[in-house]
Amino acid sequence: LFEHDVKVSVNSCQTHLHLGTLLIEDGIKQENPERRRKSFERGLKELQRAIQIHPHLPLAYCEIGNAYSLIAFNSDSAVYYYNRAIMEGTTEPAAYIGLANIYAGQKKNELASYYYNEAVKANPYYTYGVKLRDDFKKQTGLDVRTFPSEVNLNSAELNDPTKNFSFYYDKGTAYGKSGDYRNAAAYLEKA
């Protein structure tokens, strides 16, 4: 039906979005690598056409993120498109869940926890998002509500022989309370 519709309504972003989404969903299910690739390429082409027609279409960016994450296994591109979907103002939790899943797979647990929480904040009634967040929280013990800061360790400070256990412990605890778990871990390990 959507393949027919894109021929009839060539300038409809919705028909291209729906066809692209279905092709991506089909590609995810395919066992055959060649069929996966073809579904990915066709779906990506339709989604890009939808964005060409309507550049501020968050669901198209999210679906492209899904395509890169679940078919092409290109996490850098997936992260870019999920973030683009979020920037376009989506209230759909799918972009947040996509980011969380990527970061969980990369063992970047603070980021994963943050994005699972953002998915629930975007739609607290989306039971799948709530389940993912709660399962991840049980698994890791993390419940990150503010965006984790980048690692900004002062290596000179970490290797300063004049600093004692109390300094590293206090600093690590302070980082932990602020949600900066990377710095907290580094200082507490040093302590």
Side-chain angles (χ1 to χ4, degrees):
L1 179 64
F2 287 120
E3 287 194 20
H4 171 267
D5 290 350
V6 295
K7 292 174 186 166
V8 175
S9 301
V10 267
N11 289 323
S12 168
C13 65
Q14 289 298 314
T15 57
H16 290 282
L17 170 66
H18 292 305
L19 178 57
T21 299
L22 289 174
L23 290 167
I24 296 305
E25 287 173 1
D26 179 59
I28 292 168
K29 296 174 190 171
Q30 291 295 330
E31 301 274 333
N32 181 308
E34 183 61 23
R35 286 186 178 172
R36 283 176 71 90
R37 185 187 63 76
K38 285 183 180 181
S39 286
F40 169 76
E41 289 173 356
R42 288 185 61 217
L44 190 61
K45 180 181 172 189
E46 293 299 328
L47 292 167
Q48 288 171 334
R49 177 67 181 128
I51 290 170
Q52 185 181 31
I53 296 166
H54 188 312
H56 304 290
L57 192 61
L59 286 177
Y61 291 109
C62 189
E63 289 300 330
I64 293 173
N66 288 339
Y68 277 112
S69 178
L70 303 172
I71 298 175
F73 306 111
N74 181 334
S75 60
D76 289 340
S77 292
V79 166
Y80 170 80
Y81 284 103
Y82 286 139
N83 278 313
R84 184 66 194 268
I86 292 167
M87 286 176 11
E88 292 301 334
T90 185
T91 58
E92 291 292 321
Y96 297 108
I97 289 172
L99 286 170
N101 288 337
I102 288 171
Y103 290 128
Q106 295 174 347
K107 305 293 185 216
K108 295 180 179 178
N109 292 338
E110 293 87 5
L111 284 169
S113 175
Y114 171 76
Y115 282 111
Y116 283 129
N117 279 316
E118 288 297 299
V120 173
K121 188 166 37 168
N123 185 347
Y125 304 105
Y126 184 51
T127 56
Y128 180 65
V130 172
K131 180 184 179 337
L132 288 173
R133 181 206 54 196
D134 292 347
D135 289 349
F136 192 77
K137 184 177 177 181
K138 285 178 191 171
Q139 177 188 354
T140 64
L142 294 173
D143 188 20
V144 180
R145 304 284 175 142
T146 58
F147 189 80
S149 66
E150 289 296 318
V151 177
N152 190 17
L153 301 174
N154 183 342
S155 61
E157 187 174 75
L158 278 172
N159 295 314
D160 186 349
T162 64
K163 305 292 185 202
N164 62 14
F165 161 82
S166 296
F167 170 81
Y168 292 112
Y169 179 81
D170 292 341
K171 193 124 184 178
T173 303
Y175 275 124
K177 286 179 181 175
S178 73
D180 186 350
Y181 302 113
R182 288 188 178 131
N183 282 323
Y187 278 88
L188 291 172
E189 284 176 357
K190 183 69 174 180

